[in-house]
Amino acid sequence: MWYWLFKYILLGPLLQVLGRPKVEGLHYVPNSGPVILASNHLAVMDSFFLPLVVRRRITFLAKSEYFTGTGIKGWFSRWFFTAVGQVPIDRSNADAAQAALDTAERVLASGKLLGMYPEGTRSPDGRLYKGKTGLARLALQTGVPVIPVAMIGTNVVNPPGTTMLRFGKVTVRFGKPMDFSRFEGLAGNRFIERAVADEVIYELMQLSGQEYVDVYAATVKNRDKDSAAPDPASEPGPAAASEEATRIPETAAG
């Protein structure tokens, strides 16, 4: 109930005024059945503008920190993200990554729309970054089609690093469904999963017009964080992560 109240009464009308969202390609989203919506990630409000323009309910897997706060603020955060249909996941280790994928499979098995961010976290500078392979493994294991979605202008309405909302112009552009049935039975093959992830990111680049950067967004964020530290010489430098080590759930708004 709260999901629809937020969409049509409590939050949706405000977003309509602030972002004046334009929607392209919505006919690619089926009226029923499981689908993965794979979106670029510019701002926290991506997870609100996307559900605003899609008639069906979308489930996102949200980082567990949104559900574990204390005090009134923690209670409100937990209530709000639960009310709008977000499911908590722990992104701290490889076991948690698999648990997140298992949760995502259950969402799809129930015939729902699942929203995912292949980049794994918000873009630090508006460019499009390398996709992680969790989405690819999920698509290969379930056989569910992937619809690429380009969010454009959400970082103007909701500037990164702030909770401020401003007036802007948002475009939500849906691409044609992507079918990876030609790779049936190859889930777990890291070369195939990398190829699928890259194919999805390429479609997002074509739809969004973003410049592509062949590194993980999280790597850039960590590097920037380290360079901003008061005494970086006293801290260990970030180790170069392998493909397996970077397979962290990219379904959450991070």
Side-chain angles (χ1 to χ4, degrees):
M1 179 186 71
W2 281 108
Y3 181 94
W4 304 110
L5 284 176
F6 274 112
K7 179 171 180 175
Y8 292 115
I9 298 175
L10 301 178
L11 186 58
L14 174 62
L15 296 181
Q16 290 282 4
V17 171
L18 289 174
R20 297 171 294 147
K22 175 184 177 182
V23 188
E24 301 175 4
L26 184 59
H27 60 280
Y28 290 126
V29 181
N31 293 326
S32 62
V35 171
I36 299 171
L37 299 178
S39 173
N40 62 334
H41 201 11
L42 297 174
V44 171
M45 296 310 292
D46 293 333
S47 298
F48 297 92
F49 275 105
L50 182 53
L52 180 66
V53 303
V54 175
R55 289 182 290 271
R56 295 174 60 188
R57 179 169 180 161
I58 303 173
T59 298
F60 289 92
L61 306 188
K63 59 185 180 182
S64 60
E65 290 91 329
Y66 291 151
F67 299 83
T68 56
T70 58
I72 295 177
K73 182 177 180 181
W75 174 87
F76 179 81
S77 176
R78 185 164 52 253
W79 169 79
F80 176 77
F81 284 101
T82 301
V84 297
Q86 310 242 1
V87 179
I89 60 168
D90 180 358
R91 306 188 297 175
S92 59
N93 55 54
D95 290 339
Q98 184 57 52
L101 291 177
D102 292 343
T103 300
E105 283 196 52
R106 289 194 294 271
V107 170
L108 293 171
S110 63
K112 297 179 180 179
L113 293 182
L114 178 69
M116 299 185 72
Y117 298 112
E119 294 167 275
T121 187
R122 294 188 300 275
S123 170
D125 54 16
R127 296 184 294 176
L128 184 68
Y129 283 82
K130 186 175 181 178
K132 293 186 177 180
T133 56
L135 181 147
R137 174 168 292 193
L138 182 63
L140 294 174
Q141 288 180 171
T142 62
V144 170
V146 176
I147 296 180
V149 186
M151 307 297 295
I152 302 169
T154 51
N155 54 338
V156 175
V157 174
N158 174 210
T162 75
T163 57
M164 183 181 300
L165 296 179
R166 300 174 178 174
F167 289 100
K169 179 60 179 176
V170 171
T171 298
V172 184
R173 183 174 295 143
F174 297 86
K176 296 179 180 180
M178 305 177 71
D179 177 14
F180 297 107
S181 59
R182 64 188 185 278
F183 298 128
E184 184 178 358
L186 294 176
N189 183 309
R190 64 189 183 95
F191 298 106
I192 297 298
E193 290 177 354
R194 169 47 51 201
V196 170
D198 288 346
E199 190 172 334
V200 172
I201 289 293
Y202 179 80
E203 289 299 317
L204 289 177
M205 181 182 70
Q206 295 293 102
L207 287 170
S208 68
Q210 291 171 278
E211 177 186 351
Y212 174 69
V213 184
D214 195 30
V215 297
Y216 295 108
T219 301
V220 175
K221 286 185 174 182
N222 291 335
R223 185 173 62 209
D224 291 345
K225 186 184 300 183
D226 290 341
S227 65
D231 185 13
S234 65
E235 299 293 332
S242 67
E243 175 65 25
E244 293 298 320
T246 55
R247 194 169 289 168
I248 304 299
E250 65 273 12
T251 49

